[in-house]
Amino acid sequence: MNINISNSSGEPIYLQISNQIKTMILEGKLKEGEPIPSMRVLATELRISFMTTKRAYEELERDGFIESYTGRGSFVKAQNLEIYREEQIKRIEALLTEAGDTARKAGISMEELHELLDLVNENE
């Protein structure tokens, strides 16, 4: 499993792991029912503590991305992508509301804000 850890990102390592695994699942790189490395194996590969990988896997399980079975390991869980998509839309709406409020306070027009959004996303 190709997971990249950055000590300079400011994001906790367990979140970096869980976010990258979530992305692999959502992009179809990890399929339903597919096993993922054990917590100990992943910790060894990444040269991090077992507790960090345990926390990442707990996060993934809580968010409904994996299922873990004692003695068998952890597996990609069937996804309801529509629910995940709705959660992400709500998160984006909150961020855009905050951006709009900040823009208004700074005297930035909505047209300028749209231009900024286009600039930020011009590589896509």
Side-chain angles (χ1 to χ4, degrees), residues 3 9-10 16 30 33 36 49 78 80 93 97 101 108 122-123:
I3 294 178
S9 78
Q16 291 180 50
L30 292 174
I36 60 173
S49 81
N80 185 337
E93 286 172 348
T97 299
D101 291 345
I108 297 170
E122 72 181 8
N123 291 334

Side-chain angles (χ1 to χ4, degrees), residues 61-101:
E61 195 159 8
R62 183 188 47 124
D63 291 346
F65 282 87
I66 66 170
E67 298 173 296
S68 298
Y69 302 97
T70 304
R72 287 186 42 215
S74 298
F75 302 84
V76 176
K77 189 174 180 180
Q79 297 301 303
N80 185 337
L81 297 180
E82 194 57 38
I83 290 173
Y84 178 78
R85 185 174 189 281
E86 278 300 315
E87 289 173 359
Q88 295 308 306
I89 288 172
K90 283 176 29 181
R91 183 171 170 245
I92 291 166
E93 286 172 348
L95 291 168
L96 289 173
T97 299
E98 182 180 343
D101 291 345

Side-chain angles (χ1 to χ4, degrees), residues 51-68:
M51 294 305 294
T52 301
T53 56
K54 183 177 188 302
R55 189 166 179 192
Y57 279 38
E58 287 171 347
E59 173 104 357
L60 289 163
E61 195 159 8
R62 183 188 47 124
D63 291 346
F65 282 87
I66 66 170
E67 298 173 296
S68 298

Side-chain angles (χ1 to χ4, degrees), residues 5 20 23 27 32 36 54 62 80 94 117-118 121-122:
I5 302 300
Q20 288 179 53
T23 299
E27 290 178 347
E32 176 183 339
I36 60 173
K54 183 177 188 302
R62 183 188 47 124
N80 185 337
L117 186 58
D118 288 341
N121 291 301
E122 72 181 8

Side-chain angles (χ1 to χ4, degrees), residues 7-24:
N7 291 324
S8 62
S9 78
E11 184 177 44
I13 292 173
Y14 81 93
L15 279 179
Q16 291 180 50
I17 295 167
S18 65
N19 287 339
Q20 288 179 53
I21 292 174
K22 285 177 189 178
T23 299
M24 287 183 231

